[in-house]
Amino acid sequence: MLPKFKVTLAEGGPYERGLKHGAYFRDEIKHNLTSFWQHVLDLGASRNSLLRLVQNIHKSELNETSLLYFSGISEGAGVALPDVLALNLLKPVLFPDECTVMIAFGDSTANGKTIMLKNSDKIGSERFKGDRFYKYKELNILILEKPDNGNTIAAIAAAGEEAIKIGLNDKGVAFGSNIARTVELSARTLDVSQIRALDRGWLGKEGLTKANTAREATQLVLKSLAERPMSTPGNIEFVDPKKGFIIEGSYDRLAFQEVDQGTHARTNKFEILKDLNDPFDVSSYVRYVRSIELLRMNRGKIDVPMMIRFSQDHENGPGLNSICRHSPNYTDETSLAAAVMELDPVKPESSIFHAALGKPCRAWNDPKGHISIRMNELPVIPPEFLNGDTFKKFYIEEL
């Protein structure tokens, strides 16, 4: 039986949903903006030049829906619109996420339901220091949105951003993504003048909002990627109770794989376009091998509690090579949140979003660190999951 809590749901048009998001997460948005601009200083970039850049991007590439959403956030949070645009348009390129994704279809699970796991990892800032550990990393929060014309979605995101890290809609479609550590990415000198507004987190949210199946979401995203490539190489995963699609995209090529049985995993490397992988990226290789090992050795027995244990796995660590990633250096990519999504083939609308904010090995093991949302019963979100308190409590690098 799922617990009942006060519902906080952002409904309406894009401006109205952005306004509620901005007002509710005012302090968290200001926190993340401070962190973002400190990161920009670390790179030696000019704030004024980046603000001019986002003005050009939003005029040429940003759709009206997104602009209205960002305008709502700006108004609700009491921050300048150019700052909101910079945070959303540039941060995914300058500071992309690392992640681990695992998928088990019904033939490999204990109850016949498809289950998808994602651990979300992120770097910290050398300049952004404070009295508590959470201030070294961006705040992760849980959101729930119901557009006037679209599906209800539950997701994990950074406060003040339209893009999501992990999500599930009320049609039983799940989304995850990963950056890919490729040779061309490691060798590339970032030219901010070439940055585009096409990010995996945006594409994932659009797919969940508009599509009723994983195939529909994939077709929608592939159409966008055929027109404009991903701003950094990476994977996108859409999975529903019966089908899954894994998209791999780089600067000049695009591939996808359709899957409907067995187990699958992605870390921060390609499997179809594997010739592009950076051979010195040890963490992605080790985490992928461990993920496949866990999935295959437990095939037929996998359930939600088991996937939650996988999310906390410290084999080859605990450290940057383990699935639950730790490091005493807050500038490293470490695990900040996780979700396990259980997709029901009989009643997709009753699929469940299990979310943990903070270090997975901490948050999953404390009833106050994680929450379950059944998508046809509308969110069960306590305030502490919405205002960042849960993340602050459970983001702890030390074991």
Side-chain angles (χ1 to χ4, degrees):
M1 188 71 178
L2 296 178
K4 298 291 184 181
F5 296 96
K6 179 180 178 181
V7 172
T8 301
L9 176 66
E11 297 181 283
Y15 179 82
E16 289 75 20
R17 287 183 283 117
L19 187 68
K20 186 168 185 178
H21 186 139
Y24 198 97
F25 301 119
R26 178 186 294 258
D27 292 340
E28 291 77 18
I29 290 168
K30 291 179 178 178
H31 172 108
N32 283 346
L33 278 170
T34 300
S35 176
F36 169 74
W37 287 121
Q38 292 288 3
H39 277 303
V40 169
L41 288 174
D42 291 345
L43 293 177
S46 162
R47 175 174 177 152
N48 288 336
S49 66
L50 291 181
L51 288 174
R52 287 194 297 271
L53 173 63
V54 298
Q55 290 291 336
N56 293 332
I57 291 176
H58 100 255
K59 290 176 182 177
S60 62
E61 299 185 17
L62 197 60
N63 62 47
E64 183 179 359
T65 298
S66 292
L67 184 58
L68 286 170
Y69 190 90
F70 295 144
S71 297
I73 289 178
S74 170
E75 181 71 21
V79 296
L81 178 58
D83 280 346
V84 175
L85 291 172
L87 179 69
N88 280 271
L89 300 182
L90 303 183
K91 189 174 77 65
V93 180
L94 299 176
F95 318 109
D97 288 4
E98 292 205 7
C99 306
T100 302
V101 170
M102 298 187 215
I103 303 165
F105 283 94
D107 64 332
S108 300
T109 63
N111 62 6
K113 296 180 181 180
T114 295
I115 304 174
M116 179 174 171
L117 157 70
K118 177 179 173 179
N119 271 21
S120 180
D121 310 329
K122 191 73 174 183
I123 63 172
S125 168
E126 292 179 347
R127 291 176 177 261
F128 196 77
K129 301 179 181 180
D131 296 331
R132 302 182 214 176
F133 285 21
Y134 72 86
K135 290 187 177 181
Y136 298 155
K137 304 276 186 169
E138 68 183 17
L139 285 165
N140 280 234
I141 57 172
L142 197 60
I143 65 169
L144 182 81
E145 289 194 5
K146 185 176 183 179
D148 283 340
N149 299 303
N151 301 319
T152 299
I153 66 168
I156 293 174
E161 296 184 24
E162 184 184 19
I164 60 175
K165 301 174 183 292
I166 318 165
L168 176 66
N169 71 15
D170 59 353
K171 304 301 189 297
V173 182
F175 158 76
S177 66
N178 329 61
I179 189 175
R181 296 291 177 189
T182 63
V183 172
E184 55 185 348
L185 179 66
S186 63
R188 185 187 186 203
T189 301
L190 181 66
D191 181 356
V192 294
S193 68
Q194 296 178 0
I195 292 175
R196 295 180 177 272
L198 198 55
D199 170 66
R200 286 177 289 278
W202 286 31
L203 294 170
K205 187 174 184 180
E206 183 177 28
L208 294 185
T209 301
K210 296 181 178 180
N212 296 333
T213 66
R215 185 181 298 279
E216 290 178 6
T218 301
Q219 290 171 337
L220 184 70
V221 167
L222 288 175
K223 183 177 185 298
S224 295
L225 292 175
E227 297 172 355
R228 293 179 294 167
M230 297 183 197
S231 50
T232 57
N235 307 309
I236 295 174
E237 303 91 13
F238 286 112
V239 180
D240 63 33
K242 298 180 180 180
K243 288 279 186 182
F245 295 85
I246 303 172
I247 303 169
E248 297 184 355
S250 190
Y251 301 120
D252 62 354
R253 64 201 76 184
L254 186 63
F256 75 96
Q257 178 182 7
E258 180 178 347
V259 291
D260 59 9
Q261 59 184 348
T263 57
H264 307 270
R266 284 295 188 276
T267 54
N268 303 109
K269 69 189 192 80
F270 290 139
E271 298 307 316
I272 306 171
L273 304 176
K274 57 187 176 182
D275 290 345
L276 299 178
N277 291 334
D278 183 350
F280 298 105
D281 179 21
V282 175
S283 174
S284 296
Y285 176 80
V286 171
R287 284 182 287 122
Y288 178 76
V289 170
R290 178 58 175 166
S291 297
I292 293 296
E293 177 186 39
L294 288 170
L295 290 167
R296 288 181 178 173
M297 70 189 296
N298 291 286
R299 187 167 180 173
K301 301 179 292 183
I302 299 170
D303 57 12
V304 167
M306 184 177 287
M307 279 289 210
I308 287 174
R309 290 197 297 273
F310 295 170
S311 173
Q312 304 172 65
D313 189 74
H314 286 157
E315 187 76 15
N316 304 309
L320 297 178
N321 293 334
S322 50
I323 291 170
C324 181
R325 304 177 78 191
H326 295 251
S327 174
N329 184 347
Y330 53 81
T331 63
D332 284 332
E333 294 95 343
T334 59
S335 300
L336 304 186
V340 173
M341 295 162 280
E342 186 178 30
L343 313 179
D344 192 326
V346 178
K347 296 181 65 178
E349 68 277 7
S350 68
S351 296
I352 303 175
F353 188 73
H354 305 275
L357 298 182
K359 193 65 63 179
C361 62
R362 296 275 188 166
W364 287 123
N365 287 315
D366 190 307
K368 294 183 179 180
H370 58 92
I371 188 171
S372 299
I373 299 172
R374 191 182 298 276
M375 296 305 296
N376 63 347
E377 294 183 1
L378 282 185
V380 285
I381 307 179
E384 55 266 29
F385 283 83
L386 299 165
N387 61 22
D389 285 349
T390 298
F391 177 80
K392 296 172 190 176
K393 182 174 182 179
F394 293 101
Y395 170 57
I396 303 172
E397 291 291 349
E398 290 79 359
L399 293 176

